Amino acid sequence: MPYIPLEEHLPGVTGLLEYRKDTAAPIRELTQILLRGPSTLTEGERELIATIVSHRNQCTFCVTAHTAVANIFLEEEKTSTRIKEDIGTAPVSDKMKALLTIASQVQESGKNVTTESIQKAKDAGATDMEIHDTVLIAALFCLYNRYVDGLSTVTPTDPEFYKGLGQRLKDHGYHRLPQGYDHLKKSNQ
Amino acid sequence: MPYIPLEEHLPGVTGLLEYRKDTAAPIRELTQILLRGPSTLTEGERELIATIVSHRNQCTFCVTAHTAVANIFLEEEKTSTRIKEDIGTAPVSDKMKALLTIASQVQESGKNVTTESIQKAKDAGATDMEIHDTVLIAALFCLYNRYVDGLSTVTPTDPEFYKGLGQRLKDHGYHRLPQGYDHLKKSNQ
C-alpha cells in the first residue's frame, strides 16, 4: 500500500505523476527528450539502458515496464533478457555493451564510472553525446526507481498490464495523455 | 578531467547544464519547483535534504554547494554540519529528523524506506506532500550526484567558489541566468 494517498487505478509511477502534476511535467519532458528525442541511439537501445538500471535497482514496476517497451521496439524479447543476465555475452554491439556497463556503474554510484569504461565506449565508437546521454538516462532511472519504491507504490502482477503500458510508451512516449484518452481510444476500436 | 568536453570555466553540474541545454531546462525547472516553489518546508529545510543525500553519495561538488546555500538560508553553519554527523542529535525538529531519515533511506534505495520511518514522520506532523517532496528531492539528488560524478566533472577546492554559488542559488534559484548576467552584475556593483 502506498505511503501517501494515490489514485488506486494508477499503479507505479503513474499515480505519482498524477499526485503532483507540476513536478511531473518536467520529469515527463526530460524523459521524452532523452528516450524519444533525436539521438544516434535507437529508442530500443535507450530503453535497454532504462531497463538495466531499473533491474539493478530491483524496481519491479520500472524494470517490467521498460523491458516491455524495449521488447516492442526491438521486436524480440531475447536481448532485454540477456542484458539482465550478463552484458558481456548479450547480443548487442560492442558500443552498447560499453554503454550498458557505464549505466550499470552509474546505478551504483557516479564515482564507479572509470576512465577505462569510458575509453572502451569511445574505442567502440560511442560519441561524447552518447556517453552523456547514457549517464543521464541511468541517473534519471535512479530517480524514478527511488520515487516508485520510496513511496511504496503498487506493482501490478498481471503481465498484460505491462504489455499495455509498454505499447502506450512506444506509441505516445512519455507525454501525459489527455483526460479520457484511454476511454476514447477504446471506444474507437 | 571530465569524460566529455565541457567548458573549462564551468565546474560540477554547471558545465553539464550548458553542455546539453534541452535536457537542462526540465532539470532546472524540477529543481526550482521542489526547492524554491510553494511548500510548508522552508527553503533551508529543503536544502538540508539535498545536502544529506549528496553527503551520503559522497558527491563533493553537490554537498559543498548545497551546504553553502543551506547555511545562507539558515543564517548559521551548525545545522548542516550536525545533520551530516548524526541526524538523531542534530538541532532540527522531530519532523525534520524523520524526513532527513527518509531521505537517507532513499539515498541507498527506495526499498529501504520503511513503514516505521514514514509513521514516525507522520506522527511528528509531516504531511503527505512533505513526505512526497522529501522522497522526490532525495531521488532528484541521486540523479544530480550521479550526473556530476559519473562524467567526472571538475570539483573546485576554493571555498569562495561555493559561497558565491550558494549566494547565487539563494538569490536566483535554479533558473538559468541570462548570458552575460554575471558580467553585468559585477560591472554594476
Side-chain angles (χ1 to χ4, degrees):
Chain A
M1 207 180 120
Y3 293 142
I4 57 175
L6 302 174
E7 288 189 49
E8 274 181 36
H9 69 291
L10 295 173
V13 78
T14 65
L16 295 172
L17 296 176
E18 289 299 305
Y19 182 76
R20 191 163 176 184
K21 293 192 191 73
D22 62 345
T23 48
I27 294 172
R28 287 181 182 280
E29 190 192 341
L30 177 61
T31 314
Q32 180 67 20
I33 294 169
L34 280 171
L35 295 192
R36 296 290 182 276
S39 171
T40 47
L41 297 173
T42 67
E43 282 111 331
E45 287 172 334
R46 288 177 273 168
E47 290 289 346
L48 288 178
I49 295 169
T51 299
I52 194 81
V53 171
S54 303
H55 172 65
R56 289 178 178 240
N57 278 324
Q58 299 180 288
C59 180
T60 307
F61 181 88
C62 295
V63 70
T64 317
H66 292 279
T67 296
V69 65
N71 290 347
I72 293 169
F73 275 117
L74 299 173
E75 299 181 340
E76 45 89 3
E77 303 190 354
K78 191 180 58 180
T79 305
S80 64
T81 303
R82 293 281 299 282
I83 61 151
K84 287 181 259 183
E85 291 165 358
D86 177 20
I87 294 167
T89 60
V92 294
S93 67
D94 284 347
K95 183 179 83 177
M96 272 308 292
K97 283 180 188 176
L99 295 178
L100 290 168
T101 300
I102 292 169
S104 300
Q105 292 170 331
V106 170
Q107 180 267 322
E108 292 177 350
S109 166
K111 292 182 180 303
N112 283 22
V113 179
T114 61
T115 313
E116 291 70 34
S117 63
I118 295 288
Q119 194 55 51
K120 213 163 184 175
K122 289 185 178 179
D123 289 347
T127 64
D128 291 329
M129 189 59 84
E130 287 172 343
I131 290 170
H132 168 276
D133 288 0
T134 296
V135 171
L136 188 49
I137 292 169
L140 174 61
F141 278 84
C142 285
L143 179 156
Y144 269 122
N145 300 158
R146 281 165 172 77
Y147 194 22
V148 164
D149 283 335
L151 288 163
S152 190
T153 63
V154 170
T155 304
T157 51
D158 180 4
E160 289 305 311
F161 168 82
Y162 297 97
K163 277 190 192 163
L165 179 59
Q167 192 62 49
R168 177 178 143 178
L169 293 175
K170 193 253 177 191
D171 294 344
H172 304 285
Y174 293 91
H175 300 298
R176 183 161 183 259
L177 293 182
Q179 276 218 325
Y181 178 89
D182 281 340
H183 167 71
L184 282 170
K185 195 181 166 201
K186 206 175 247 174
S187 68
N188 283 340
Q189 281 173 345
Chain B
M1 208 180 118
Y3 293 141
I4 58 175
L6 303 174
E7 289 190 49
E8 275 181 35
H9 69 291
L10 296 173
V13 79
T14 65
L16 294 171
L17 296 176
E18 288 300 305
Y19 182 76
R20 190 164 176 182
K21 294 193 190 72
D22 62 344
T23 48
I27 294 173
R28 287 181 182 281
E29 190 192 340
L30 178 60
T31 314
Q32 180 67 21
I33 295 169
L34 280 171
L35 296 192
R36 295 289 182 277
S39 170
T40 47
L41 298 173
T42 67
E43 280 111 331
E45 287 171 334
R46 288 177 274 168
E47 289 289 345
L48 287 178
I49 296 169
T51 299
I52 194 81
V53 172
S54 302
H55 172 65
R56 289 178 178 241
N57 277 325
Q58 300 180 288
C59 180
T60 306
F61 182 89
C62 296
V63 70
T64 315
H66 292 279
T67 296
V69 65
N71 290 348
I72 294 169
F73 275 118
L74 300 174
E75 300 181 338
E76 45 89 2
E77 302 190 355
K78 191 181 59 181
T79 305
S80 66
T81 302
R82 292 281 300 283
I83 62 152
K84 286 181 260 183
E85 291 165 357
D86 178 20
I87 294 167
T89 59
V92 294
S93 66
D94 284 347
K95 183 179 84 177
M96 271 309 291
K97 282 180 190 178
L99 294 178
L100 290 168
T101 300
I102 291 169
S104 300
Q105 292 170 331
V106 170
Q107 181 266 323
E108 291 177 353
S109 165
K111 292 183 179 301
N112 282 23
V113 180
T114 61
T115 313
E116 291 71 33
S117 63
I118 295 288
Q119 194 55 52
K120 214 164 183 176
K122 289 185 178 178
D123 289 346
T127 64
D128 291 329
M129 190 58 83
E130 287 173 343
I131 290 170
H132 168 276
D133 288 0
T134 297
V135 170
L136 187 49
I137 292 170
L140 174 60
F141 279 84
C142 285
L143 178 156
Y144 269 122
N145 301 158
R146 282 165 171 77
Y147 194 23
V148 164
D149 283 335
L151 288 162
S152 190
T153 63
V154 170
T155 304
T157 52
D158 180 4
E160 290 306 310
F161 168 82
Y162 296 98
K163 276 190 192 164
L165 179 59
Q167 192 63 48
R168 176 177 144 178
L169 293 175
K170 192 253 179 192
D171 294 344
H172 304 285
Y174 294 90
H175 300 299
R176 184 161 182 259
L177 294 181
Q179 274 218 325
Y181 177 89
D182 283 339
H183 168 70
L184 283 171
K185 196 181 166 200
K186 206 175 248 176
S187 67
N188 285 339
Q189 281 172 347

